[in-house]
PDB file of all heavy atoms in Angstrom:
ATOM      1  N   VAL A 407     -10.713 -20.610   5.299  1.00 97.00           N
ATOM      2  CA  VAL A 407      -9.452 -20.460   4.565  1.00 97.00           C
ATOM      3  C   VAL A 407      -9.369 -21.485   3.438  1.00 97.00           C
ATOM      4  O   VAL A 407      -8.918 -21.163   2.329  1.00 97.00           O
ATOM      5  CB  VAL A 407      -8.252 -20.581   5.530  1.00 97.00           C
ATOM      6  CG1 VAL A 407      -6.943 -20.722   4.766  1.00 97.00           C
ATOM      7  CG2 VAL A 407      -8.202 -19.371   6.461  1.00 97.00           C
ATOM      8  N   ALA A 408      -9.824 -22.714   3.700  1.00 97.00           N
ATOM      9  CA  ALA A 408      -9.817 -23.735   2.652  1.00 97.00           C
ATOM     10  C   ALA A 408     -10.726 -23.338   1.493  1.00 97.00           C
ATOM     11  O   ALA A 408     -10.384 -23.539   0.320  1.00 97.00           O
ATOM     12  CB  ALA A 408     -10.251 -25.080   3.240  1.00 97.00           C
ATOM     13  N   GLN A 409     -11.882 -22.755   1.806  1.00 96.00           N
ATOM     14  CA  GLN A 409     -12.795 -22.312   0.748  1.00 96.00           C
ATOM     15  C   GLN A 409     -12.171 -21.160  -0.043  1.00 96.00           C
ATOM     16  O   GLN A 409     -12.274 -21.111  -1.275  1.00 96.00           O
ATOM     17  CB  GLN A 409     -14.122 -21.867   1.350  1.00 96.00           C
ATOM     18  CG  GLN A 409     -15.182 -21.500   0.321  1.00 96.00           C
ATOM     19  CD  GLN A 409     -15.558 -22.682  -0.555  1.00 96.00           C
ATOM     20  OE1 GLN A 409     -15.990 -23.721  -0.054  1.00 96.00           O
ATOM     21  NE2 GLN A 409     -15.369 -22.547  -1.860  1.00 96.00           N
ATOM     22  N   THR A 410     -11.517 -20.237   0.664  1.00 97.00           N
ATOM     23  CA  THR A 410     -10.836 -19.132  -0.009  1.00 97.00           C
ATOM     24  C   THR A 410      -9.742 -19.656  -0.923  1.00 97.00           C
ATOM     25  O   THR A 410      -9.573 -19.174  -2.054  1.00 97.00           O
ATOM     26  CB  THR A 410     -10.233 -18.167   1.030  1.00 97.00           C
ATOM     27  OG1 THR A 410     -11.278 -17.661   1.867  1.00 97.00           O
ATOM     28  CG2 THR A 410      -9.526 -17.003   0.363  1.00 97.00           C
ATOM     29  N   ARG A 411      -8.991 -20.651  -0.461  1.00 97.00           N
ATOM     30  CA  ARG A 411      -7.931 -21.238  -1.280  1.00 97.00           C
ATOM     31  C   ARG A 411      -8.521 -21.880  -2.538  1.00 97.00           C
ATOM     32  O   ARG A 411      -7.980 -21.713  -3.636  1.00 97.00           O
ATOM     33  CB  ARG A 411      -7.157 -22.277  -0.468  1.00 97.00           C
ATOM     34  CG  ARG A 411      -5.972 -22.887  -1.208  1.00 97.00           C
ATOM     35  CD  ARG A 411      -5.245 -23.911  -0.339  1.00 97.00           C
ATOM     36  NE  ARG A 411      -4.696 -23.293   0.863  1.00 97.00           N
ATOM     37  CZ  ARG A 411      -5.061 -23.596   2.096  1.00 97.00           C
ATOM     38  NH1 ARG A 411      -6.021 -24.492   2.310  1.00 97.00           N
ATOM     39  NH2 ARG A 411      -4.498 -22.998   3.125  1.00 97.00           N
ATOM     40  N   ALA A 412      -9.627 -22.575  -2.392  1.00 96.00           N
ATOM     41  CA  ALA A 412     -10.256 -23.216  -3.551  1.00 96.00           C
ATOM     42  C   ALA A 412     -10.790 -22.185  -4.538  1.00 96.00           C
ATOM     43  O   ALA A 412     -10.729 -22.382  -5.759  1.00 96.00           O
ATOM     44  CB  ALA A 412     -11.376 -24.144  -3.087  1.00 96.00           C
ATOM     45  N   ASP A 413     -11.317 -21.075  -4.010  1.00 96.00           N
ATOM     46  CA  ASP A 413     -11.891 -20.031  -4.862  1.00 96.00           C
ATOM     47  C   ASP A 413     -10.839 -19.069  -5.405  1.00 96.00           C
ATOM     48  O   ASP A 413     -11.146 -18.255  -6.286  1.00 96.00           O
ATOM     49  CB  ASP A 413     -12.925 -19.218  -4.065  1.00 96.00           C
ATOM     50  CG  ASP A 413     -14.140 -20.032  -3.674  1.00 96.00           C
ATOM     51  OD1 ASP A 413     -14.379 -21.084  -4.295  1.00 96.00           O
ATOM     52  OD2 ASP A 413     -14.835 -19.612  -2.731  1.00 96.00           O
ATOM     53  N   HIS A 414      -9.631 -19.124  -4.867  1.00 97.00           N
ATOM     54  CA  HIS A 414      -8.569 -18.167  -5.207  1.00 97.00           C
ATOM     55  C   HIS A 414      -8.949 -16.732  -4.827  1.00 97.00           C
ATOM     56  O   HIS A 414      -8.352 -15.781  -5.320  1.00 97.00           O
ATOM     57  CB  HIS A 414      -8.218 -18.225  -6.699  1.00 97.00           C
ATOM     58  CG  HIS A 414      -7.398 -19.417  -7.085  1.00 97.00           C
ATOM     59  ND1 HIS A 414      -7.853 -20.709  -6.950  1.00 97.00           N
ATOM     60  CD2 HIS A 414      -6.140 -19.513  -7.589  1.00 97.00           C
ATOM     61  CE1 HIS A 414      -6.922 -21.550  -7.360  1.00 97.00           C
ATOM     62  NE2 HIS A 414      -5.864 -20.856  -7.755  1.00 97.00           N
ATOM     63  N   CYS A 415      -9.934 -16.585  -3.967  1.00 96.00           N
ATOM     64  CA  CYS A 415     -10.445 -15.242  -3.674  1.00 96.00           C
ATOM     65  C   CYS A 415     -11.276 -15.298  -2.393  1.00 96.00           C
ATOM     66  O   CYS A 415     -11.987 -16.280  -2.150  1.00 96.00           O
ATOM     67  CB  CYS A 415     -11.319 -14.778  -4.840  1.00 96.00           C
ATOM     68  SG  CYS A 415     -11.867 -13.074  -4.758  1.00 96.00           S
ATOM     69  N   TYR A 480       0.346 -21.268  -7.435  1.00 96.00           N
ATOM     70  CA  TYR A 480      -1.068 -21.151  -7.065  1.00 96.00           C
ATOM     71  C   TYR A 480      -1.903 -20.600  -8.219  1.00 96.00           C
ATOM     72  O   TYR A 480      -3.063 -20.981  -8.407  1.00 96.00           O
ATOM     73  CB  TYR A 480      -1.153 -20.238  -5.842  1.00 96.00           C
ATOM     74  CG  TYR A 480      -2.523 -19.930  -5.288  1.00 96.00           C
ATOM     75  CD1 TYR A 480      -3.149 -20.825  -4.433  1.00 96.00           C
ATOM     76  CD2 TYR A 480      -3.141 -18.723  -5.561  1.00 96.00           C
ATOM     77  CE1 TYR A 480      -4.382 -20.521  -3.876  1.00 96.00           C
ATOM     78  CE2 TYR A 480      -4.372 -18.414  -5.005  1.00 96.00           C
ATOM     79  CZ  TYR A 480      -4.987 -19.326  -4.168  1.00 96.00           C
ATOM     80  OH  TYR A 480      -6.207 -19.005  -3.622  1.00 96.00           O
TER      81      TYR A 480
END
Side-chain angles (χ1 to χ4, degrees):
V407 168
Q409 185 62 58
T410 301
R411 184 180 298 117
D413 294 341
H414 284 63
C415 187
Y480 178 82

